[in-house]
Amino acid sequence: MRVAVTGADGFTGRFVAAALARHGATCVPLRADLRDPAAIERAVDTMECDRLIHLAARAFVDQSDWEAFYAVNQLGTFHLLDVLARRRPGLRCILASSAQVYGPGAEGLIGETASTAPANHYAVSKLAMELGAMRWRDRLDLVVTRPFNYTGVGQHTDYLVSKIVDHFRRRAPVIELGNLYVKRDFGDVRAVADAYARLAIATSSPELLNICTGVVHSIDNILSIMTQISGYCPEIVVNPKFVRVNDVAVLGGDAGRLRVTLPDWAIPSLADTLTWMYEAASN
């Protein structure tokens, strides 16, 4: 089986390629500017694929450049789906949305039937992508995924867990963080990539499902694990600029639907993930 992957060169895409190979499938990178329908059409016309995993997106842009979220995440996805519907009708397409679509009002372990209330342009663009994508459901086999937080080797230090691991690796004397006691769902990119690969090659899948661990950890817990791994204990400073007003105490994903779909899906423990990241960064 040949699986086209947008964003194949990105943080998640590299692990998806490896996961596909483990399952006997071939990753076929689909490289095209999603803002250019003609470029997408040329790319699709010159490749053979049986499935597609759509990972390419804009996640970090300057807030003054909010239009970039919609140009790529929303309209870019629509351009891609429109080309695929014409050139590859019936194709199974795994779309990477985001758990951020649930919004800050959600609390506890959130299931797919929870209401959505995106609170930033990135999240709005992802929900708009989900809603608009349904216009192609009659011609494509669409599966929308909502991944929660995940991390791993190669993730940029703009992200919280990677930032913490980087500070421990460098033996930084001080780490400035926000609320240490909120609990969140922190997954491993290797497991997330495996889920994408298996959903792509499966004979059937739900139309919408979370990708998450169903387990929550506090930032303080991550710091404790990192201290055990590294044998180092930096000074932790809570910077008021990083503390979100009315931050919910517990926010994670309900993995029930994913577990039914992929009953033997394996998730590394958070300690295993952090050890992997720390040892890779230290080499």
Side-chain angles (χ1 to χ4, degrees), residues 108-170:
L109 297 183
I110 307 167
E112 291 85 352
T113 59
S115 61
T116 54
N120 55 60
H121 284 296
Y122 169 73
V124 172
S125 72
K126 285 293 192 177
L127 183 58
M129 179 273 287
E130 289 187 21
L131 296 173
M134 297 306 103
R135 306 307 304 168
W136 284 273
R137 185 172 289 286
D138 61 332
R139 286 166 287 168
L140 295 168
D141 179 8
L142 301 180
V143 178
V144 174
T145 64
R146 291 175 176 170
F148 281 69
N149 299 320
Y150 62 91
T151 189
V153 173
Q155 188 178 48
H156 197 281
T157 54
D158 284 341
Y159 293 86
L160 176 62
V161 178
S162 292
K163 170 186 173 180
I164 291 172
V165 172
D166 179 65
H167 276 65
F168 274 88
R169 180 193 62 79
R170 294 187 289 106

Side-chain angles (χ1 to χ4, degrees), residues 30-43 71-72 76 79:
L30 195 166
R31 297 184 177 95
D33 185 343
L34 295 179
R35 297 166 296 182
D36 183 350
I40 298 171
E41 195 159 295
R42 288 192 297 271
V72 176
H79 293 155

Side-chain angles (χ1 to χ4, degrees), residues 3-6 16 20 51-55 92-94 196-197 200:
V3 181
V5 179
T6 70
V16 167
L20 287 169
R51 303 281 197 275
L52 176 132
I53 302 173
H54 177 40
L55 302 174
R92 161 78 61 81
C93 300
I94 309 299
Y196 282 135

Side-chain angles (χ1 to χ4, degrees), residues 186 188 190 217 225 267-275:
F186 295 104
D188 185 302
R190 296 169 295 183
H217 296 272
I225 295 172
I267 308 172
S269 69
L270 181 58
D272 287 342
T273 302
L274 294 174
T275 299

